[in-house]
């Protein structure tokens, strides 16, 4: 991972538990451009990396993050909340595992802080004149970031838990039956994601129409389950035993193999390699069915059903 030094140029509360921070490069004119749905890795502390979606206007060379610090937040949010203007931190280049796809219509479903990548998509679709609708669910108006920017947009529906029952999200009404050439995007806490995706599936939406980004892995713990297996590296022929309780990535790193990684939860895609032989047991939340069918594999979270898995680390 290559890190870039960034400086905090703005840090302000959006709600009682969400801060919005703007980052500029510590050296040079501006950060590289990014596409809607992209995120950056932030090095919170040695060995602790977190992913945050970019939610500001993509032009201008700055990066904007909105970060929730709540009871269910993973470590790192408190550090971001505690930053001050002028503080420095290290970030990665943007990567996008949740891009807008080519479709006639786009249906966006945000739960809470899951608004961040979808806000960037709304801006992009507005700019392009794309056909879209955003459903933004939050506990209450005062806990929903960016409401001022979105309220009044006729393509945006706000759904607050504490509001009138008639305005609550109704998937049968707000998503409805599968439509041709329509892409659905879902981002938010696990419970929200599981609810929307489960309902979409029940309505008959095909998996390839559903695009999702999670903040934390919903998959089974990486080490649990299938017993040990052997991983073989095509480049060197070296073989390593991956025991129960360890991931492929753990074993590669323990043996001095220079394997890339970031989230270690199967949600960012940094560790993806290619399977050349064997039967992978995919336990990530980042690869599409097509990518899995092409042999892509996350070393941090996925395992093997076969005794041996042969990998191309340069995949
Ligand atoms: S390190 Fe993020 S998916 Fe594996």
């Amino acid at each position: 991972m290559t890190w870039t030094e960034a400086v905090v140029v703005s840090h302000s509360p959006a709600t009682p538990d969400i801060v919005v921070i703007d980052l500029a490069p510590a050296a040079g004119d501006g950060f590289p451009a990014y596409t809607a749905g992209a995120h950056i890795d932030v090095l919170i502390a040695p060995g602790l990396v977190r992913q945050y979606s970019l939610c500001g206007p993509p032009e201008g060379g700055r990066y904007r993050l909105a970060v929730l610090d709540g009871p269910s937040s993973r470590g790192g949010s408190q550090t971001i909340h505690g930053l001050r203007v002028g503080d420095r931190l290290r970030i990665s280049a943007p990567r996008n595992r949740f891009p807008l796809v080519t479709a006639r219509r786009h249906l966006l479903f945000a739960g809470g802080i899951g608004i961040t990548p979808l806000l960037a998509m709304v801006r992009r679709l507005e700019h392009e004149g794309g056909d879209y609708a955003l459903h933004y669910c939050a506990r209450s108006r005062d806990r929903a970031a960016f409401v001022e920017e979105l309220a009044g947009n006729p393509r945006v529906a706000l759904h607050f838990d504490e509001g009138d029952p008639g305005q609550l999200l109704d998937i049968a009404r707000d998503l409805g039956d599968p439509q041709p050439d329509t892409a659905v995007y879902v981002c938010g806490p696990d419970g929200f994601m599981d609810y929307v995706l489960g309902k979409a599936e029940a309505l008959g939406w095909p998996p390839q129409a559903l695009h999702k980004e999670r903040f934390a892995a919903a998959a089974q713990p990486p080490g649990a389950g299938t017993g040990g297996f052997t991983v073989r590296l095509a480049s060197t022929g070296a073989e390593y035993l991956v025991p129960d309780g360890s991931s492929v990535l753990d074993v590669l790193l323990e043996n001095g193999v220079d394997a890339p990684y970031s989230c270690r939860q199967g949600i960012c895609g940094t560790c993806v390699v290619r399977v050349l032989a064997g039967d992978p047991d995919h336990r990530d939340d980042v690869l599409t069915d097509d990518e899995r069918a092409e042999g892509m594999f996350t070393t941090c979270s996925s395992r093997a059903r076969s005794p041996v898995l042969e990998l191309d680390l340069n995949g």
Side-chain angles (χ1 to χ4, degrees):
M1 176 82 66
T2 303
W3 297 105
T4 300
E5 187 106 339
V7 59
V8 178
V9 293
S10 165
H11 186 287
S12 56
T15 74
D17 47 14
I18 296 173
V19 293
V20 175
I21 70 168
D22 285 344
L23 302 173
D29 288 341
F31 287 127
Y34 62 93
T35 52
H39 71 270
I40 55 169
D41 291 345
V42 176
L43 184 62
I44 302 290
L48 181 61
V49 177
R50 290 292 179 250
Q51 291 75 40
Y52 297 105
S53 297
L54 295 170
C55 61
E59 56 283 342
R62 292 184 172 185
Y63 292 161
R64 176 170 295 166
L65 318 177
V67 178
L68 168 72
D69 185 22
S72 59
S73 300
R74 299 171 302 139
S77 305
Q78 269 187 337
T79 304
I80 300 285
H81 275 240
L83 292 170
R84 294 289 170 261
V85 171
D87 284 349
R88 295 186 172 215
L89 70 172
R90 311 190 102 193
I91 66 171
S92 72
R95 283 175 296 138
N96 201 342
R97 298 290 316 175
F98 189 45
L100 281 167
V101 299
T102 303
R104 180 186 57 80
R105 182 163 166 75
H106 305 265
L107 298 175
L108 317 175
F109 291 86
I113 195 64
I115 189 62
T116 48
L118 301 185
L119 183 65
M121 292 182 181
V122 164
R123 290 212 187 93
R124 186 70 224 159
L125 290 163
E126 283 285 337
H127 182 75
E128 291 174 348
D131 182 7
Y132 77 93
L134 168 69
H135 293 273
Y136 180 13
C137 303
R139 277 163 49 199
S140 61
R141 177 175 280 264
D142 66 334
R143 294 201 170 254
F146 309 114
V147 165
E148 296 75 22
E149 179 175 344
L150 294 166
N153 179 337
R155 295 177 181 275
V156 175
L158 301 171
H159 308 281
F160 298 123
D161 294 352
E162 296 176 0
D164 171 342
Q167 52 81 59
L168 293 174
L169 181 69
D170 177 343
I171 292 290
R173 175 194 67 199
D174 298 326
L175 176 61
D177 293 330
Q179 302 293 325
D181 206 7
T182 299
V184 178
Y185 307 82
V186 189
C187 187
D190 280 349
F192 174 82
M193 305 267 309
D194 293 343
Y195 174 75
V196 175
L197 293 168
K199 291 279 186 186
E201 203 177 316
L203 285 166
W205 284 84
Q208 61 272 23
L210 305 176
H211 307 272
K212 60 184 189 290
E213 183 163 76
R214 289 188 189 269
F215 298 129
Q220 304 160 62
T226 52
F229 60 96
T230 296
V231 67
R232 180 190 304 136
L233 303 187
S235 54
T236 61
E239 294 189 348
Y240 306 106
L241 179 66
V242 182
D244 244 355
S246 292
S247 67
V248 173
L249 178 65
D250 292 336
V251 169
L252 294 178
L253 295 176
E254 280 161 16
N255 284 281
V257 177
D258 186 19
Y261 67 90
S262 175
C263 72
R264 301 185 89 147
Q265 297 184 90
I267 57 174
C268 77
T270 306
C271 67
V272 167
V273 298
R274 190 168 296 276
V275 174
L276 299 180
D279 183 11
D281 176 7
H282 293 287
R283 299 184 179 196
D284 64 273
D285 261 314
V286 64
L287 297 177
T288 64
D289 288 347
D290 286 348
E291 288 171 332
R292 290 176 178 182
E294 287 167 16
M296 294 172 77
F297 176 88
T298 56
T299 60
C300 72
S301 61
S302 296
R303 302 185 66 78
R305 290 195 191 87
S306 52
V308 179
L309 202 61
E310 183 170 337
L311 301 178
D312 176 2
L313 292 191
N314 302 313

